[in-house]
Amino acid sequence: MTVTRVTFPSKTMDNGIILETHKLRREFGALVAVADVSIAVRAQTLHSIIGPNGAGKTTFFNLLSGNITPTSGRVLFKGRDITHLPVHRTAHLGIGRSFQITNLFPNLTVLENVRLASQALGHDSFHFLRSHRSFTRYEARAREVIEMVGLTARALAPARTLPHGDQRKLELAMILAPDPEVLLLDEPTAGMAAEQVPELISLIQRVQAGGQKTVMLVEHNMNVVMRVSDMITVMHQGEVLAEGTPDEIAANEAVQNAYLGGGVWRPVANGGK
Amino acid sequence: MPTATPSRGFAVRAWLRANTGPLIVVGLLALLPFAVALIDGQPLAEVLANQPGQAKFIQGLMIEVFILAIFALSYDLIFGITGLLSFGHAMFFAVGAYLSGIMIKSFGWSLAPTLGLLAVVAVVQALLFSVVLPRVQGVTFALVTLGIAEVFHIVIQSRELVGYTGADVGLQGVIPPAFLSPAAQRLRFYFVALGLAVLVYLLCRRFVDSPTGRVCIATRENENRALMLGYNTFYFKLTAMIISSLLASLAGFLHMLYQPIVSPGIASLSYTVNALLMVLVGGMGTLSGAPIGAAILRLLTFYFDKWFGQSSGFILGMVYVALVLFLPYGIVGTWKLRRFAWRSGWARLAQPLRPPSRDGERL
Ligand SMILES: Nc1ncnc2c1ncn2[C@@H]1O[C@H](COP(=O)(O)OP(=O)(O)O)[C@@H](O)[C@H]1O
Ligand SMILES: [Mg+2]
């Protein structure tokens, strides 16, 4: 199995690398979920991770965001080692993370979910004798983001009462609210109705390009991935199978065989649906 | 949805409107001693002079309710709001009662330094309970807190400390300051206890509405997500514990002033269970449920003892089972849900009649 890898010359922010891993590894008992993965993510690009279910994509994200600790290896953010940073600290560095499985505050309203997300990085969370309403900027930011994802009509509904597609939008709103520099999006469209997907993807693209942000995206829809990505990493059984631009990945034989089902991938006319 | 900066008068009016229910209750409670006297045919002057009678007796019962209400509120803060199941909450109360009683009786301290020391100790014991929080959660936390509280329960009953604590008999002989004597100044004590209960309630409400309180609720709802957002949830749980401990100690302090004997039973698990029951019956996480639960617990216990004698415990248990079965979210919780369903039903009915709203702020 040939491994195609784009190698980056250096490991510092000067070369435009914002997030990188060195031989990152995570074992669950005998299972190696992430096997010595080294990747480098260029700042202000949209970098996708693809691979079949169980390839280790979610585990990889969990290692990046500090949700779980690696068995070995390192994670660098802007050249700084963040491998063992506790999970609540990574958010403060400007790394936002969304979840494949909906992970909300179910009994709180949409507005409160997003408001909490925007309050998290401010320095007002230890006021306990003033109403949260007097800190208007968090609510204003929350409403702005809710508007962006198109949930304004449901702003005061408890999160648990939303249909699945809207919960995915809420999930996205919560990661956008604190305005992170790097967004780790784990299958943001999972389980969404097909017609809602392009809308969400174009929102992600707008946020990425407009805010000059770095997005790492796990996504199963190949048309979407091929269209929006600057760079693609293909994972398979915990390992990096290939890495390259969409064109390189589409032409890569190993990927064709292992992942794209043997056939050559061709763009679909109505790409993205 | 731009909101104009509300004027002060507007804000006050809005606050009054939002709190009509509690305000009426407080107003009625302020009138209660006099209403009882009127019904009982006792002249009001006698009530003001703290003469014995039904009015004075009811005041005593209600003082106990107010103290329990503060205790229940302090428990709702950590259990209902922050989602921490502590089985050692009785210790917070008992430390308030014992420490202040011992300082006044054995060391001759006056009220102000006693309260100051109590505040310091309350913070320290909250820290003691919280050191384990980053490591243990849920039932394990409950058992650890139970362990700490049981040690305290045993210590205050030990013979070695009998000179201070009265061991298993309890602490007695504390002379409360004359201006707050529960017998000679009952009416004043009544209003002080009522005032403090109202103050604590408002304080808890403020806390829950504050940025810190909102994060405590988020921690209860989904701690993992709160962490992911960047909140170090430990500090929020710790804050809730400290405030809760301060309030429970205040309740214990009032208990010590009011009761002629402070029994070691207030440090036992069953006293924590009382707090849990009051919060569950009233509606956990609702705050306003806590004083309602306190009133129900104290009044039912008292009147069932009076009416049913020996079998009151059994009947009381049946009532609690029925309450939990029929009002699973407690009195306030269930009422809020019903009212919500009721309102959204009307909203649905009225919907076609309304022009479609653009920003859809309906629900
Ligand atoms: N907490 C865990 N404990 C044990 N095995 C796990 C755990 N999390 C993930 N795995 C395993 O690791 C592998 C990779 O899973 P995952 O990262 O979720 O893959 P993907 O997101 O690419 O579908 C799977 O085989 C999965 O069963
Ligand atoms: Mg996954």
Side-chain angles (χ1 to χ4, degrees):
Chain A
M1 210 179 272
T2 21
V3 174
T4 319
R5 215 169 257 165
V6 178
T7 45
F8 292 98
S10 171
K11 293 151 188 81
T12 60
M13 213 17 214
D14 304 336
N15 294 333
I17 306 300
I18 190 162
L19 191 63
E20 61 186 314
T21 65
H22 286 292
K23 293 196 182 261
L24 200 59
R25 185 180 185 87
R26 173 67 205 214
E27 298 165 5
F28 292 110
L31 177 88
V32 183
V34 173
D36 302 326
V37 171
S38 303
I39 67 161
V41 180
R42 207 168 274 280
Q44 302 180 16
T45 59
L46 199 154
H47 189 130
S48 293
I49 311 266
I50 61 172
N53 273 330
K57 307 179 296 291
T58 297
T59 307
F60 185 61
F61 268 19
N62 282 338
L63 292 170
L64 293 181
S65 61
N67 273 53
I68 59 176
T69 50
T71 309
S72 61
R74 294 198 302 154
V75 182
L76 301 184
F77 176 68
K78 295 183 178 173
R80 174 183 166 193
D81 193 324
I82 62 162
T83 318
H84 296 288
L85 219 55
V87 59
H88 60 86
R89 294 278 303 282
T90 47
H92 289 269
L93 296 176
I95 302 176
R97 157 87 203 266
S98 82
F99 291 84
Q100 180 178 358
I101 300 163
T102 303
N103 192 353
L104 308 165
F105 303 115
N107 294 313
L108 307 186
T109 63
V110 168
L111 180 62
E112 186 59 10
N113 268 272
V114 185
R115 203 197 58 77
L116 278 163
S118 84
Q119 181 191 306
L121 302 191
H123 297 283
D124 297 313
S125 291
F126 278 102
H127 285 278
F128 48 85
L129 289 177
R130 270 172 72 185
S131 170
H132 68 279
R133 267 174 274 269
S134 64
F135 301 89
T136 47
R137 64 198 170 106
Y138 302 120
E139 183 167 336
R141 173 64 183 162
R143 288 193 183 272
E144 187 185 328
V145 178
I146 289 170
E147 174 95 55
M148 271 167 79
V149 300
L151 280 179
T152 308
R154 307 306 307 273
L156 298 182
R160 73 185 136 75
T161 65
L162 297 186
H164 181 80
D166 285 352
Q167 291 192 343
R168 301 305 301 171
K169 291 183 187 169
L170 174 54
E171 180 78 48
L172 187 64
M174 286 173 77
I175 179 181
L176 292 179
D179 202 26
E181 218 177 325
V182 176
L183 293 87
L184 309 176
L185 304 176
D186 195 354
E187 302 196 29
T189 65
M192 256 188 155
E195 66 271 15
Q196 291 186 307
V197 171
E199 188 193 331
L200 200 78
I201 292 294
S202 77
L203 172 63
I204 291 169
Q205 278 186 294
R206 276 205 312 280
V207 167
Q208 190 264 324
Q212 281 142 30
K213 298 187 183 311
T214 311
V215 173
M216 287 189 77
L217 176 70
V218 172
E219 172 59 52
H220 274 304
N221 186 325
M222 285 303 289
N223 290 312
V224 167
V225 170
M226 291 296 181
R227 187 163 52 81
V228 304
S229 308
D230 297 306
M231 187 63 69
I232 299 173
T233 299
V234 185
M235 283 184 74
H236 187 64
Q237 296 181 352
E239 296 183 357
V240 174
L241 184 62
E243 190 168 88
T245 62
D247 290 339
E248 286 166 6
I249 293 299
N252 185 299
E253 247 178 70
V255 178
Q256 298 288 349
N257 294 333
Y259 184 48
L260 300 176
V264 174
W265 180 85
R266 281 184 218 300
V268 180
N270 195 8
K273 283 249 164 169
Chain B
M1 53 234 79
T3 45
T5 328
S7 72
R8 180 129 264 167
F10 177 81
V12 169
R13 245 175 295 136
W15 189 88
L16 290 177
R17 210 177 315 124
N19 293 285
T20 320
L23 282 170
I24 291 175
V25 172
V26 172
L28 290 177
L29 286 172
L31 295 176
L32 182 71
F34 309 103
V36 171
L38 283 182
I39 294 167
D40 211 38
Q42 194 183 18
L44 294 185
E46 278 192 34
V47 178
L48 292 173
N50 292 298
Q51 296 298 311
Q54 188 68 10
K56 186 168 184 179
F57 174 76
I58 291 288
Q59 284 170 50
L61 198 56
M62 290 311 290
I63 287 169
E64 291 182 37
V65 170
F66 301 151
I67 293 170
L68 282 174
I70 297 175
F71 183 47
L73 278 165
S74 75
Y75 196 62
D76 202 20
L77 222 46
I78 53 168
F79 172 62
I81 301 294
T82 316
L84 296 171
L85 181 61
S86 164
F87 278 175
H89 202 63
M91 177 175 157
F92 288 0
F93 185 84
V95 162
Y98 272 93
L99 182 71
S100 54
I102 291 170
M103 292 327 283
I104 291 171
K105 182 188 155 197
S106 304
F107 297 92
W109 284 28
S110 60
L111 278 196
T114 303
L115 283 171
L117 177 70
L118 190 55
V120 173
V121 172
V123 171
V124 172
Q125 71 178 338
L127 291 172
L128 177 70
F129 271 54
S130 303
V131 281
V132 296
L133 270 175
R135 273 163 290 276
V136 302
Q137 321 236 296
V139 175
T140 323
F141 179 67
L143 293 179
V144 170
T145 50
L146 174 63
I148 301 174
E150 274 310 303
V151 169
F152 179 75
H153 187 204
I154 291 166
V155 166
I156 56 171
Q157 292 183 84
S158 67
R159 298 303 314 167
E160 285 79 4
L161 294 175
V162 68
Y164 294 109
T165 62
D168 46 356
V169 176
L171 177 61
Q172 47 190 325
V174 183
I175 316 245
F179 71 95
L180 256 185
S181 155
Q185 295 290 351
R186 174 71 56 92
L187 190 64
R188 185 182 284 164
F189 202 112
Y190 177 87
F191 279 108
V192 167
L194 172 62
L196 283 174
V198 170
L199 201 70
V200 166
Y201 172 71
L202 292 176
L203 199 84
C204 290
R205 281 265 302 266
R206 227 320 124 82
F207 175 74
V208 170
D209 195 49
S210 74
T212 315
R214 305 313 291 183
V215 181
C216 287
I217 291 175
T219 305
R220 174 196 73 197
E221 286 283 304
N222 185 346
E223 176 164 10
N224 213 11
R225 186 61 201 248
L227 278 166
M228 289 294 314
L229 289 178
Y231 293 113
N232 189 348
T233 53
F234 170 71
Y235 290 115
F236 294 89
K237 293 192 270 189
L238 182 62
T239 307
M241 281 299 260
I242 289 173
I243 296 176
S244 175
S245 170
L246 284 166
L247 298 180
S249 301
L250 173 69
F253 167 76
L254 290 172
H255 178 88
M256 177 280 300
L257 283 186
Y258 181 70
Q259 299 290 352
I261 299 182
V262 176
S263 129
I266 60 165
S268 69
L269 176 62
S270 71
Y271 217 72
T272 298
V273 171
N274 273 351
L276 189 65
L277 262 179
M278 291 187 282
V279 168
L280 287 178
V281 165
M284 60 182 281
T286 59
L287 291 187
S288 49
I292 293 175
I296 289 178
L297 183 100
R298 186 66 198 105
L299 298 181
L300 282 191
T301 312
F302 177 77
Y303 284 105
F304 280 19
D305 278 348
K306 192 166 150 185
W307 297 333
F308 307 117
Q310 291 269 293
S311 47
S312 79
F314 174 73
I315 296 172
L316 206 58
M318 301 278 281
V319 170
Y320 287 138
V321 170
L323 279 172
V324 170
L325 277 180
F326 292 103
L327 303 173
Y329 301 99
I331 293 169
V332 175
T334 309
W335 183 72
K336 277 187 173 164
L337 275 180
R338 292 268 157 81
R339 194 180 56 153
F340 178 75
W342 184 248
R343 275 197 189 157
S344 51
W346 279 111
R348 273 192 286 277
L349 188 67
Q351 231 168 48
L353 305 174
R354 251 189 250 158
S357 65
R358 258 175 304 118
D359 62 354
E361 276 274 38
R362 268 192 307 272
L363 195 124

